Amino acid sequence: MIIVLKKGCKKKTVEAVIKKVKELGFKAHAIVGVERTVIGAVGDDRDKHLLSALEAVPCVEKLVPILQPYKLASKEIRREPTVVKVDGACFGGGHFGVIAGPCSVETEKQIVETAIRVKKAGARMLRGGAFKPRTSPYAFQGLEEEGLKLLAAARKESGLPFVTEVINPEDVELVGDYADALQIGARNVQNFALLRRAGKFGKPIVLKRGMSTTIQEFLMSAEYVLSEGCKNVILCERGIRTFENATRNTLDISAVPVIHERSHLPIIIDPSHATGVRNYVPPLCFAAMACGADGIMVEVHPDPQKALCDGPQSLRIEDFAALVVQLRKLSKFNGKKM
Ligand code: PEP
Ligand code: MN
């Protein structure tokens, strides 16, 4: 339920309404808009009739039911786009954020060199996996905490904030203490325990769409995170499974306008995992920019042939630099800040 407050409500009044919502057994999420504050009351649907008691509160203008099953993620509760800021990197509301880095952290030299060079080329955030979700248990699983330390060293040297994946709910605090943003990968998009724990932690989250989740399911996963109090969620379309096998997955570019219609959250494109092929990455980044995406996340490696993971889809640093030059040109036509 959306509790719409009258214009110009004082902070104290807003707090009193929040208290009342909580007493009724719901979680209250205040959303401060340009004109007025609204409070999203979310909880067990079976008890929603209890909220009608709020209609009698003087500062409450009206109660509006949220029709979508995802509530806090929905446009119904917040019409303006959410801008997620991770240090200097901004996503949404006209900002096109660029995340670049290797699939996985391998050595100090590899991650520090990549960070410095992608920053120089125009990246705003570094990526790199320390905990890798691999299809084979015999494949490189990541450097784990050592990888997190190397990412922190790369941040120190380059000044770039970093996002890295967390796979287990028990590791959220460990990964979260090092990282600027937590990534929840495609394979974990419906790991509800992980979503809840990461949402509680509070740092921004890059949530990747699962290879077989519908947009509605994807937004429901975002809802898990938001319902725990995290406000900064970046959605990431990274390709879905189809019959097509010329690419690793099929990039669902239409997810961008669909999500923009339904949600205030930013949506970025990961063309590296979507295609699995380096040469297809730049054209799909241009498509992302053209269709209004809020950013990209691309895999970049100083020597892709030697990469321990996802080399064939990783751009060389020079390729990435050329890509950013082109994207900057396009951004002028699209009114995006890069
Ligand atoms: C990744 O970004 O490193 C990754 C494993 O991606 P996905 O979860 O989209 O497969
Ligand atoms: Mn990868």
Side-chain angles (χ1 to χ4, degrees), residues 209 215 237-240 250-259 267-271 274 283-293:
R209 181 178 179 184
I215 290 173
E237 159 62 41
R238 45 76 73 206
I240 52 175
T250 300
L251 181 67
D252 181 12
I253 196 82
S254 54
V256 173
V258 173
I259 286 172
I267 164 90
I268 64 170
I269 292 291
D270 169 355
L284 294 182
C285 290
F286 304 147
M289 173 67 85
C291 80

Side-chain angles (χ1 to χ4, degrees), residues 5-14 37 59-60:
L5 302 184
K6 292 186 178 149
K7 276 187 194 170
C9 273
K10 297 249 158 44
K11 207 172 160 215
K12 260 203 161 143
T13 329
V14 177
T37 298
C59 65
V60 171

Side-chain angles (χ1 to χ4, degrees), residues 7-248:
K7 276 187 194 170
C9 273
K10 297 249 158 44
K11 207 172 160 215
K12 260 203 161 143
T13 329
V14 177
E15 277 162 12
V17 180
I18 290 176
K19 188 161 170 264
K20 201 139 188 133
V21 170
K22 288 184 181 161
E23 279 166 11
L24 293 169
F26 286 77
K27 281 187 183 169
H29 300 262
I31 294 161
V32 184
V34 193
E35 290 226 326
R36 60 177 95 226
T37 298
V38 303
I39 295 168
V42 291
D44 194 330
D45 257 2
R46 290 168 298 180
D47 295 333
K48 64 176 181 230
H49 60 279
L50 298 173
L51 291 165
S52 57
L54 290 161
E55 268 163 347
V57 176
C59 65
V60 171
E61 187 164 295
K62 58 182 175 184
L63 301 189
V64 183
I66 306 175
L67 301 175
Q68 295 291 359
Y70 41 87
K71 311 289 178 192
L72 301 170
S74 145
K75 260 257 174 89
E76 292 175 63
I77 201 157
R78 184 185 161 94
R79 271 191 295 271
E80 307 110 70
T82 287
V83 181
V84 177
K85 290 198 181 98
V86 186
D87 205 356
C90 296
F91 303 84
H95 296 274
F96 189 87
V98 177
I99 309 175
C103 182
S104 50
V105 183
E106 297 165 2
T107 63
E108 178 160 6
K109 182 175 181 301
Q110 172 243 17
I111 194 67
V112 172
E113 180 189 335
T114 307
I116 293 172
R117 294 180 65 193
V118 295
K119 160 101 190 268
K120 192 159 170 254
R124 297 298 178 138
M125 183 156 26
L126 177 68
R127 62 148 289 145
F131 291 89
K132 294 303 303 175
R134 301 304 298 276
T135 304
S136 163
Y138 311 118
F140 176 57
Q141 305 284 309
L143 297 180
E144 304 187 348
E145 189 168 2
E146 180 55 24
L148 298 174
K149 289 187 178 148
L150 298 183
L151 281 162
R155 170 176 55 205
K156 195 156 171 249
E157 294 300 320
S158 66
L160 282 183
F162 73 84
V163 59
T164 193
E165 181 162 356
V166 56
I167 296 175
N168 290 311
E170 310 82 67
D171 291 335
V172 165
E173 287 74 21
L174 170 72
V175 179
D177 282 342
Y178 285 93
D180 300 285
L182 294 168
Q183 177 171 321
I184 296 183
R187 289 153 191 83
N188 272 313
V189 68
Q190 289 189 317
N191 180 340
F192 302 119
L194 178 63
L195 294 171
R196 282 199 191 279
R197 187 99 162 235
K200 264 200 195 91
F201 191 74
K203 280 201 178 165
I205 290 178
V206 176
L207 177 63
K208 299 188 94 177
R209 181 178 179 184
M211 50 197 93
S212 59
T213 42
T214 62
I215 290 173
Q216 173 149 324
E217 287 163 344
F218 188 24
L219 290 172
M220 292 307 290
S221 293
E223 188 73 14
Y224 265 89
V225 173
L226 297 168
S227 74
E228 293 298 335
C230 173
K231 288 195 161 80
N232 295 307
V233 178
I234 300 166
L235 302 170
C236 178
E237 159 62 41
R238 45 76 73 206
I240 52 175
R241 280 251 164 106
T242 67
F243 58 84
E244 181 54 69
N245 59 11
T247 48
R248 189 172 169 184

